[in-house]
Amino acid sequence: WNGIMKIAEKTKIIKKLTRILNPLINFLFPELKTQEKIRNEIAMNMVANILGLGNAATPLGIKAMKSMQEINPDKKVLSNSMVTLIVLNTASIQLIPTTVIAIRMSLGSENPTNIIFPVWIATLCAAVAGITATKILIAKSEKIIKNKNEKQKNLIRNKKKN
């Protein structure tokens, strides 16, 4: 699967898929609007997850994380986009849960694909819940940081006045 994803990466398929995913990527990763390379890596990771290619999605996710770390101003703290990608990968929305289908087939299931619809529901719910919680926590943490910075500025101003 990694080889197939590498071939897809070198064709126009990824550009088309990235264009399709752009509105979602813009919402999920607003810090990366000008980072086309990283956005493409995230799109590749998302496509691999959606297609149920977990073995290909993992190295693509790691590649995207490394690229985000390169532009991360605080190397000791995950950026908001990095946290969002981790949550998105953990939820792992899948249209074709290949691993689960393969396991069900190997165990002799009469209908190994009847798991598809429940997987769609479960992964979609997990993704929505995870992204919602992430966005709420990011907003709260930014507010806390802003208040902390304002308090520090006020302390400095007061010290200068005295």
Side-chain angles (χ1 to χ4, degrees):
W1 294 118
N2 286 334
I4 290 171
M5 292 304 288
K6 284 198 182 269
I7 292 168
E9 189 175 5
K10 294 182 181 188
T11 67
K12 292 184 180 182
I13 293 170
I14 294 306
K15 287 182 182 177
K16 287 179 183 178
L17 290 172
T18 301
R19 203 173 303 124
I20 292 168
L21 291 172
N22 258 342
L24 181 61
I25 292 173
N26 284 338
F27 172 73
L28 295 175
F29 305 98
E31 313 171 323
L32 303 175
K33 284 189 178 173
T34 61
Q35 302 294 328
E36 187 176 342
K37 175 187 168 236
I38 297 172
R39 293 167 58 82
N40 287 341
E41 292 170 354
I42 291 170
M44 291 279 294
N45 173 259
M46 290 172 70
V47 168
N49 272 321
I50 288 168
L51 296 177
L53 307 175
N55 290 338
T58 300
L60 293 166
I62 291 169
K63 186 176 179 182
M65 290 294 277
K66 285 180 179 178
S67 296
M68 284 188 274
Q69 181 65 357
E70 288 173 11
I71 64 166
N72 187 0
D74 187 350
K75 304 296 186 203
K76 293 181 180 181
V77 178
L78 293 175
S79 69
N80 293 341
S81 292
M82 293 168 88
V83 171
T84 302
L85 184 62
I86 291 169
V87 170
L88 194 61
N89 272 289
T90 303
S92 184
I93 295 175
Q94 293 185 7
L95 291 180
I96 308 165
T98 54
T99 303
V100 175
I101 292 170
I103 290 170
R104 290 174 55 87
M105 284 177 69
S106 72
L107 295 175
S109 174
E110 289 182 24
N111 190 356
T113 58
N114 71 354
I115 192 75
I116 291 176
F117 189 67
V119 166
W120 289 351
I121 293 169
T123 60
L124 186 61
C125 289
V128 168
I131 295 301
T132 301
T134 301
K135 291 292 185 182
I136 290 169
L137 292 172
I138 286 171
K140 284 187 177 194
S141 70
E142 287 174 348
K143 187 175 180 180
I144 290 168
I145 291 169
K146 182 180 176 184
N147 289 338
K148 183 180 175 183
N149 289 341
E150 286 177 13
K151 285 180 183 179
Q152 288 176 343
K153 287 178 185 177
N154 287 336
L155 284 172
I156 292 170
R157 283 187 203 129
N158 289 338
K159 285 184 181 181
K160 286 182 180 180
K161 286 181 184 178
N162 295 333

